[in-house]
Amino acid sequence: MHLFYTPLLTDTTVVLPEEESKHAIKVLRLTKGDFVSLVDGKGGFYKAVIEQDNPKKCSLRLVEAQKAFNYRPFNIHIAVTPTKNIDRIEWFLEKATEIGVNQISFLLCERSERKQVNLERLEKVVVSAMKQSVKAYKPAVNDIIPFKDFIRTVQPDQTYIAHLEAHERTSLHQLNLHDSACVLIGPEGDFTPGEIELAYEKGIKPVTLGQSRLRTETAALVACHTLNLLYEMKIA
């Protein structure tokens, strides 16, 4: 199955973006009359037929539409501090998209080793993973934001901070979740005591991801996977 991402679907005739058009015609060698599948990143899954096999503006006609494809009645948000080696964060984005995540935010913390991210590049990683795993919803990827500013934007009773300090913490897999959950993952050196206290003051609860000391991107993926399992058991 050839699957393409087309975020601007407003009619029964669709023109693929130039990059997708080139891939369809030049790489996959699709031609007029061939059938393909489309996703819009908002839950729409479509079947279409190629009408003009132009490698810059491949035109298609929709023949079948399915809304809310594989809709999930819960929301998973992972807020993670980007690592110095951006490849590790790209790996996390790819795998989290495959597993299932609604939103990914990047935190600027006191011990951060990376202070900016290339959103355009990270969006491409997410889109590729979305297509590979046949998902119709594209996770939102948010630009980096200072930790103290980010925690002002969340619902405290739905937000959890995973840290390594010797505080009383609840295992993530033991939580009784709402229909939305956000987990904060710190940098390689962990959140500072001041950041942890600031989170507590906002009503954010501490959690542990297990006994192992995990890399930042591994911790973020474990949190994503654990939340998915909890929600799937809840709605089963």
Side-chain angles (χ1 to χ4, degrees):
M1 175 178 61
H2 299 300
L3 183 62
F4 298 93
Y5 173 53
T6 53
L8 302 175
L9 280 171
T10 57
D11 204 347
T12 57
T13 299
V14 179
V15 177
L16 291 179
E18 184 171 348
E19 186 174 347
E20 293 278 56
S21 293
K22 182 179 180 181
H23 182 70
I25 307 306
K26 292 291 189 180
V27 179
L28 299 176
R29 299 192 181 280
L30 299 176
T31 60
K32 183 177 180 179
D34 286 338
F35 286 89
V36 300
S37 295
L38 310 173
V39 290
D40 61 9
K42 307 176 187 69
F45 191 94
Y46 307 87
K47 185 176 180 181
V49 60
I50 296 176
E51 293 198 322
Q52 293 184 15
D53 47 14
N54 186 317
K56 291 188 176 181
K57 294 183 178 180
C58 179
S59 177
L60 310 101
R61 176 173 50 85
L62 299 184
V63 296
E64 187 178 313
Q66 183 176 348
K67 301 294 186 180
F69 179 75
N70 286 345
Y71 171 74
R72 292 144 42 100
F74 50 85
N75 187 290
I76 294 174
H77 185 179
I78 303 295
V80 59
T81 308
T83 54
K84 184 177 181 180
N85 181 350
I86 198 63
D87 290 348
R88 287 160 53 186
I89 284 298
E90 291 183 4
W91 174 86
F92 160 68
L93 282 171
E94 178 182 82
K95 302 311 175 188
T97 301
E98 292 176 13
I99 292 170
V101 66
N102 300 85
Q103 190 171 180
I104 297 166
S105 296
F106 295 108
L107 303 175
L108 180 61
C109 296
E110 291 182 39
R111 293 172 177 163
S112 290
E113 294 189 278
R114 175 175 288 275
K115 302 185 184 303
Q116 59 185 9
V117 294
N118 184 339
L119 277 185
E120 183 177 354
R121 166 64 186 168
L122 298 182
E123 284 281 350
K124 289 181 179 179
V125 172
V126 165
V127 168
S128 177
M130 177 185 68
K131 294 192 296 181
Q132 188 278 330
S133 54
V134 194
K135 286 184 165 52
Y137 290 93
K138 185 181 77 65
V141 181
N142 303 316
D143 205 354
I144 195 164
I145 181 174
F147 176 83
K148 65 179 185 302
D149 294 335
F150 178 81
I151 62 175
R152 295 193 189 107
T153 70
V154 298
Q155 293 290 331
D157 62 336
Q158 300 175 6
T159 306
Y160 309 91
I161 183 168
H163 65 74
L164 300 175
E165 292 289 315
H167 298 181
E168 183 177 345
R169 295 166 293 163
T170 303
S171 293
L172 184 62
H173 73 271
Q174 294 179 329
L175 294 179
N176 182 19
L177 297 174
H178 299 269
D179 58 2
S180 180
C182 175
V183 177
L184 314 182
I185 305 294
E188 283 92 336
D190 200 11
F191 295 108
T192 64
E195 288 169 334
I196 295 170
E197 288 302 320
L198 188 60
Y200 288 177
E201 290 172 9
K202 296 293 183 183
I204 295 170
K205 301 296 189 294
V207 293
T208 176
L209 303 177
Q211 295 182 351
S212 298
R213 188 182 183 97
L214 305 175
R215 287 179 178 269
T216 294
E217 73 280 6
T218 308
L221 191 62
V222 167
C224 179
H225 185 242
T226 302
L227 291 176
N228 270 279
L229 289 176
L230 285 174
Y231 278 123
E232 287 170 7
M233 289 188 294
K234 190 173 182 179
I235 64 176

